[in-house]
Every structure is written in structure tokens, then in C-alpha cells.
Amino acid sequence: MYEVRVTAEFAAAHFLRDYHGKCERLHGHNYTVYAHVRGAELDAGGMLLDFAVLKGALKTVAGSLDHTNLNDNPAFAQNPSAERIARFIYDRLCAVLAEQGVDVRGKNGGAVLCAVDVFETATSRARYIPDGCSGR
């Protein structure tokens, strides 16, 4: 099994509803995002998935969140937790890659986007792992 990972960053503000503590107030983070792709087969060029393709797609998704108030994004239902952000990035990353003709949901037995990590700080991470994928 092979695995590749790329990283992107974005800065955004948010606040958490239904939370009692300082995070219920508007504040910001410099988020770091990792996208992990796994698969058993390499392409003719010896790659699981071209780093440039994956990184470009991740930068597109992260860029759509950069310097925004995440609470204004309807996808987060007014509660943009790191977990919800990770799922959002996973879904959008799959969609952006699909628009480029790259399937990372494993439908054709190829590479699978198996995890998205969202770090709010260097010590606080949320991870989204789709069903059927065992993330590490």
C-alpha cells in the first residue's frame, strides 16, 4: 500500500455555538490541512497521484475558506467545528478532483482520499475518515 500526503494552510475566523467557554466568542486560527491518499497501484509514471494535482486541488479548497468567517458558510450550520471543517474539505476536495477527471473515492479501484486532517493549532487536530477507509 502506498500513501501520499499534501499540506495547505488558510486563516479564518469562527465561533462555536452550543459551547460554553472562550471559543463561543469570535476568534481566528491559522489552520493547517493535510490530505492523505492511499492506494495499492501506481500509474505508468510510478505515482499513486501526482503531488501537483492533489496539492493544487487542496489549495483551491483551502483558498475558498481563507480569510472568511466560517460561520457565514451554510455548510457548517452556524457551528464550524474542526470536525465539520475536515468533512467539508474532504467533500470539496473530492469534487474539485472529480472536475479534473480524478477519482479519489476508490470507485474504480484507484487511489482513495482516505483522510483529511485539520489542525487549529499545532497540538489540536480533527480528522475525517470516510467509511471503508482506515486512517492512521
Side-chain angles (χ1 to χ4, degrees), residues 65-85:
L65 300 173
D66 193 39
H67 285 77
T68 66
N69 179 346
L70 298 175
N71 291 76
D72 292 340
N73 187 323
F76 301 125
Q78 284 292 315
N79 215 357
S81 64
E83 294 86 347
R84 285 183 170 160
I85 297 166

Side-chain angles (χ1 to χ4, degrees), residues 62-112:
S64 74
L65 300 173
D66 193 39
H67 285 77
T68 66
N69 179 346
L70 298 175
N71 291 76
D72 292 340
N73 187 323
F76 301 125
Q78 284 292 315
N79 215 357
S81 64
E83 294 86 347
R84 285 183 170 160
I85 297 166
R87 174 66 188 264
F88 174 86
I89 292 172
Y90 171 86
D91 290 338
R92 288 296 306 133
L93 185 53
C94 286
V96 168
L97 288 166
E99 290 169 5
Q100 297 175 16
V102 179
D103 170 35
V104 289
R105 293 191 191 248
K107 293 177 184 172
N108 299 318
V112 176

Side-chain angles (χ1 to χ4, degrees), residues 11 17-19 22 28 58-60 66 73 82 84 88 136:
R17 294 185 182 258
D18 305 316
Y19 183 87
K22 64 182 182 178
L58 183 58
K59 281 187 172 187
T60 296
D66 193 39
N73 187 323
R84 285 183 170 160
F88 174 86
R136 285 186 275 152

